[in-house]
């Protein structure tokens, strides 16, 4: 319970009030042209998959790490884990962005 309480207090500290929190969430719902990749923990209780459904609908790539929770943000991933997926996405996005600006 004390860990959950600290997590909740930290989350609530991101926004000054409920209206600001709602407005920020709604900004994520419309599609964006910026190449976007989501990396989500499949069993994340802090940000469950259903919370990100709106963004998943338009994101260019979604990587769901099965069996992982919110701890994926706590430390850098091992180089042989999901890093190659992220590198490939970034390389592809950079190529696409460079081609679009020519």
């Amino acid at each position: 319970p004390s860990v959950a309480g600290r997590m909740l207090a930290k989350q609530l500290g991101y926004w000054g009030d409920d209206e600001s929190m709602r407005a920020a969430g709604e900004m994520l719902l419309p599609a964006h042209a910026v190449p976007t990749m989501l990396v989500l923990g499949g069993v994340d209780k802090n940000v469950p998959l259903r919370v990100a459904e709106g963004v998943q609908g338009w994101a260019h790539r979604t990587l769901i790490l099965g069996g992982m929770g919110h701890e994926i943000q706590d430390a850098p991933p091992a180089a042989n884990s999901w890093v190659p997926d992220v590198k490939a996405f970034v390389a592809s996005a950079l190529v696409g962005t460079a081609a679009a600006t020519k």
Side-chain angles (χ1 to χ4, degrees):
S2 63
V3 173
R6 286 194 308 269
M7 286 176 62
L8 180 59
K10 187 174 184 178
Q11 291 169 1
L12 293 174
Y14 294 147
W15 314 108
D17 54 49
D18 286 348
E19 183 54 37
S20 297
M21 180 176 62
R22 270 190 225 92
E26 288 173 8
M27 288 172 50
L28 294 174
L29 294 178
H32 295 273
V34 175
T36 303
M37 178 180 189
L38 296 177
V39 179
L40 303 168
V43 295
D44 192 336
K45 294 190 185 312
N46 192 22
V47 182
L49 295 177
R50 65 180 159 64
V51 170
E53 284 176 349
V55 179
Q56 289 182 61
W58 60 262
H60 298 85
R61 173 97 161 87
T62 299
L63 179 61
I64 299 173
L65 305 176
M68 306 253 348
H70 209 69
E71 73 276 1
I72 62 175
Q73 71 172 10
D74 291 342
N80 63 347
S81 61
W82 45 275
V83 172
D85 292 302
V86 175
K87 284 183 176 181
F89 176 81
V90 170
S92 173
L94 290 174
V95 168
T97 301
T101 59
K102 287 185 180 181

